[in-house]
Amino acid sequence: MILTVTLNTALDITYRVGALRPHTSHRVSDMAERPGGKGVNVARVLAALGHEATVTGFVGGVTGRAVRERLADSPGVRDALLPVTGPTRRTIAVVDELTGDTTQLNEPGPQIAPAEWGAFLDHYEELLGGASAVALCGSLPPGVPVGAYAGLIKTARAAGVPVLLDTSGEPLRRGVAARPDLLKPNADELAELTGSHDPLRATQDARRRGARTVVASLGAQGLLAHTQEGRWRAVPPTREHGNPTGAGDSAVAGLLSALVEQLPWPDRLSRAAALSAATVRAPAAGEFDRATYEKLLGQITVTGGPTAA
């Protein structure tokens, strides 16, 4: 079982409009609601790849009930979310059908009480007992300590469970110092962490700060991996057009599934890059266009190797 942690789960609401124009009203052509949050998206992709996935984090209120109801319709995903008093947040994505651009509005999330955080720590430690890997994903809701991910990383490492971190800002800075097995930032998050906009230099610096392996998402430029074994870059043949929301989460799912399957690094990166690109062609985060994925899987260009470390 692969465990994904989404402390700030969400009800993802996607609106599609013909063209998004400020200061005007819009007629929505299509609307969808799905369980969301980065780790939930990761779990749904893992399940689609044939892996058993368990999601945990906080859930509460009317929106929380909607998340759990929709999560029950996701085959292969086990719900281990912990109920809290505050309501689960909503995230609103507005897709401009004319340009393909997406505008995202993210609520902050529920206020987590100290007792609720303490209950989660016990719950998390219990779940680790059956996990082959764990992903710590996304933002922290109000009330959760800013060093939460650092503590969760140490707990996973003590249990002998490989741990991936995918977050940003101060939680990322503190988390990387706890030595996660894999860090998966995007280009902006990596630059914020290291102060460098040169991906090669920044991934090396992130490893010096504590991450054992860094795989950076670089948008249309693919993925850059700096590992203990070497350095690789994986680039899709073309840029896919569509909704990029969740592309990074699909890359995480590709990396985690390949880690559990003990694939070599070029194959791990090919899978992650193909999934990320195929998600751009899907209607929402947590999904990927399987035909695009299968087509791209054999077309990803992977360069580098062990001698490049």
Side-chain angles (χ1 to χ4, degrees):
M1 176 268 287
I2 300 176
L3 177 64
T4 71
V5 176
T6 311
L7 295 176
N8 212 2
T9 54
L11 180 64
D12 285 347
I13 302 171
T14 302
Y15 295 119
R16 304 185 72 88
V17 299
L20 183 62
R21 297 185 179 90
H23 315 301
T24 64
S25 61
H26 296 78
R27 186 173 296 279
V28 175
S29 60
D30 184 63
M31 189 276 282
E33 291 185 348
R34 291 175 175 84
K38 294 178 72 64
V40 174
N41 296 336
V42 171
R44 291 171 63 205
V45 175
L46 284 170
L49 292 171
H51 285 267
E52 180 186 350
T54 296
V55 297
T56 192
F58 298 114
V59 68
V62 174
T63 48
R65 287 197 295 273
V67 166
R68 302 193 91 158
E69 289 170 1
R70 286 157 177 77
L71 201 57
D73 295 330
S74 300
V77 178
R78 176 193 167 207
D79 175 357
L81 295 166
L82 195 67
V84 293
T85 302
T88 294
R89 66 185 178 133
R90 295 166 297 178
T91 65
I92 312 296
V94 182
V95 180
D96 184 324
E97 295 179 327
L98 181 63
T99 64
D101 293 335
T102 300
T103 299
Q104 192 84 15
L105 302 173
N106 297 330
E107 295 180 353
Q111 179 74 34
I112 304 301
E116 292 171 332
W117 176 238
F120 176 80
L121 293 177
D122 293 337
H123 183 58
Y124 171 71
E125 191 167 2
E126 182 179 348
L127 289 170
L128 284 175
S132 55
V134 58
L136 308 175
C137 303
S139 63
L140 302 179
V144 171
V146 71
Y149 283 137
L152 297 180
I153 289 167
K154 292 175 183 177
T155 302
R157 292 190 61 201
V161 180
V163 57
L164 178 151
L165 178 63
D166 182 11
T167 188
S168 60
E170 189 62 22
L172 170 60
R173 188 171 291 106
R174 297 200 187 192
V176 73
R179 300 186 59 79
D181 295 278
L182 178 57
L183 186 69
K184 211 297 294 173
N186 61 31
D188 291 339
E189 292 161 350
L190 187 61
E192 183 183 9
L193 173 67
T194 65
S196 174
H197 291 275
D198 178 352
L200 290 173
R201 180 178 298 174
T203 52
Q204 184 175 10
D205 183 41
R207 287 198 65 217
R208 283 198 299 264
R209 291 169 183 261
R212 295 184 174 186
T213 292
V214 180
V215 179
S217 295
L218 305 178
Q221 298 177 40
L223 301 173
L224 175 64
H226 192 171
T227 81
Q228 294 174 306
E229 295 85 6
R231 186 180 288 168
W232 288 266
R233 185 187 287 268
V235 182
T238 58
R239 179 171 185 169
E240 300 294 331
H241 296 282
N243 182 4
T245 305
D249 303 334
S250 291
V252 168
L255 293 169
L256 278 177
S257 61
L259 167 68
V260 170
E261 295 171 29
Q262 299 182 331
L263 298 182
W265 270 108
D267 292 342
R268 296 187 196 189
L269 295 174
S270 292
R271 177 181 293 182
L275 281 170
S276 181
T279 296
V280 175
R281 298 293 300 272
E287 301 176 7
F288 62 93
D289 184 83
R290 189 168 291 273
T292 301
Y293 166 63
E294 292 174 353
K295 179 189 72 172
L296 290 176
L297 194 56
Q299 300 178 357
I300 303 295
T301 301
V302 180
T303 56
T307 59

